[in-house]
């Protein structure tokens, strides 16, 4: 598997830590997108810089979760959102 494929998968599956780690290695030219993923294990990343990238979320990766909100006595609404507040806001705007 190539780094490019792993990098794309990290976005697809919203694996923020892995995506930021690869991003850091790419930015420092320690790996390229065409390298085999085994090269990732052979190079050193700066853990503090990677942690900072993750904290700042420079790649804007947000995990979605499923929230269940009760509409009435019988019905529940399932909402995909990145936070409970976002789910509640969507519910209020959509269903008053």
């Amino acid at each position: 598997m190539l780094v490019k494929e792993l990098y794309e998968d990290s976005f697809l599956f919203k694996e923020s830590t892995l995506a930021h780690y690869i991003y850091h290695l790419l930015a420092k030219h320690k790996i390229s997108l065409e390298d085999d993923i085994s090269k990732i294990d052979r190079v050193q990343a700066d853990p503090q810089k990677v942690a900072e990238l993750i904290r700042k979320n420079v790649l804007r990766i947000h995990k979605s979760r499923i929230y269940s909100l009760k509409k009435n006595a019988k019905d529940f609404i399932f909402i995909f959102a990145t936070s409970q507040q976002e789910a509640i806001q969507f519910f209020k705007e959509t269903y008053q």
Side-chain angles (χ1 to χ4, degrees), residues 8 14 19 24 32-33 44 58 69-70 72 80 92 96:
E8 289 170 349
K14 303 206 186 278
H24 171 70
S32 76
L33 291 174
Q44 288 287 323
V58 298
L69 296 153
K70 195 170 187 175
N72 56 42
F80 290 87
K92 286 179 180 178
Q96 282 75 24

Side-chain angles (χ1 to χ4, degrees), residues 36-73:
D36 187 84
I37 61 169
S38 62
K39 188 169 181 183
I40 292 173
D41 294 332
R42 297 190 305 261
V43 295
Q44 288 287 323
D46 182 337
Q48 292 175 336
K49 299 246 187 214
V50 174
E52 182 70 12
L53 292 171
I54 294 167
R55 187 185 66 73
K56 289 182 177 178
N57 196 14
V58 298
L59 298 176
R60 303 282 186 237
I61 297 174
H62 301 282
K63 278 206 175 199
S64 293
R65 294 184 169 91
I66 301 173
Y67 294 90
S68 172
L69 296 153
K70 195 170 187 175
K71 183 176 177 184
N72 56 42

